[in-house]
């Protein structure tokens, strides 16, 4: 665990000192969101939430944002369709999977990106009822051509 922290800290330090970069247009990437369902001890809402950052809410009309030197908006190059593919993290509540448009400062990582801004552009996989509900809230559809899973 300490090695991962040092690696992450070192990457953040390197990102702080970058003077030059490559300017590109928007990037379409993949990610998951957590849905909070109402229960005994919590109320649900009609917003997508970050899987890892407990209190981070993705609002329908505002881009998600973060400082890429510390956290930022994480996304993946390859499509993710289920909890098992979402690396290591297990969460309470269902996950929805889709695509985001990312822009601003972007730091590329081995599996994807950490960006300054992100916006939901499609909701593609997950519980069909929740997909229908959140597609309406975020005014998005399923991707017209969802990216296929890479062959292993």
């Amino acid at each position: 665990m300490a090695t991962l922290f040092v690696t992450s800290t070192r990457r953040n330090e390197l990102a702080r000192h970058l003077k030059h970069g490559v300017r590109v247009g928007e990037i379409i990437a993949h990610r998951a969101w957590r849905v909070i369902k109402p229960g005994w001890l919590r109320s649900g809402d009609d917003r997508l939430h970050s899987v890892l950052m407990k209190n981070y809410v993705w609002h329908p009309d505002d881009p998600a944002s973060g400082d890429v030197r510390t956290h930022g908006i994480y996304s993946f190059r390859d499509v993710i369709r289920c909890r098992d593919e979402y690396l290591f993290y297990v969460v309470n509540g269902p996950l929805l999977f889709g695509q985001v448009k990312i822009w601003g400062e972007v730091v590329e990582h081995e599996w994807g990106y950490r960006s300054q801004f992100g916006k939901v552009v499609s909701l593609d996989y997950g519980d069909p009822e929740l997909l229908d509900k959140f597609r309406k809230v975020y005014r998005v559809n399923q991707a017209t051509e969802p990216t296929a899973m890479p062959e292993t």
Side-chain angles (χ1 to χ4, degrees):
M1 202 68 128
T3 303
L4 291 175
F5 177 74
V6 170
T7 302
S8 178
T9 302
R10 179 156 167 69
R11 285 182 186 155
N12 289 340
E13 187 62 29
L14 290 171
R16 275 191 203 98
H17 297 305
L18 288 176
K19 301 276 190 246
H20 303 285
V22 176
R23 185 174 292 266
V24 298
E26 63 193 35
I27 299 168
I28 301 296
H30 307 275
R31 68 168 287 128
W33 294 272
R34 183 168 47 100
V35 174
I36 297 178
K37 294 179 98 176
W40 283 88
L41 299 174
R42 64 181 177 203
S43 61
D45 61 17
D46 290 341
R47 299 293 180 260
L48 296 172
H49 296 258
S50 171
V51 174
L52 297 174
M53 301 298 288
K54 182 179 178 181
N55 296 318
Y56 194 87
V57 177
W58 285 64
H59 297 285
D61 298 321
D62 300 320
S65 64
D67 182 352
V68 297
R69 291 176 176 90
T70 56
H71 295 290
I73 305 303
Y74 284 85
S75 56
F76 296 91
R77 273 188 210 92
D78 297 320
V79 69
I80 308 159
R81 291 190 246 195
C82 71
R83 185 183 304 259
D84 294 340
E85 294 171 353
Y86 201 71
L87 300 177
F88 59 88
Y89 201 74
V90 177
V91 297
N92 295 325
L95 297 179
L96 294 180
F97 303 89
Q99 296 181 353
V100 290
K101 171 177 61 173
I102 60 173
W103 71 95
E105 287 186 69
V106 177
V107 177
E108 186 172 17
H109 291 279
E110 182 178 352
W111 294 324
Y113 311 96
R114 184 175 70 215
S115 61
Q116 183 178 8
F117 299 105
K119 184 111 173 111
V120 179
V121 294
S122 72
L123 293 170
D124 306 322
Y125 305 101
D127 177 274
E129 288 181 28
L130 290 174
L131 284 171
D132 185 53
K133 172 184 176 178
F134 283 94
R135 283 175 181 154
K136 290 175 185 164
V137 170
Y138 285 82
R139 295 182 296 282
V140 299
N141 295 309
Q142 180 175 6
T144 55
E145 295 181 30
T147 308
M149 286 296 296
E151 304 247 347
T152 55

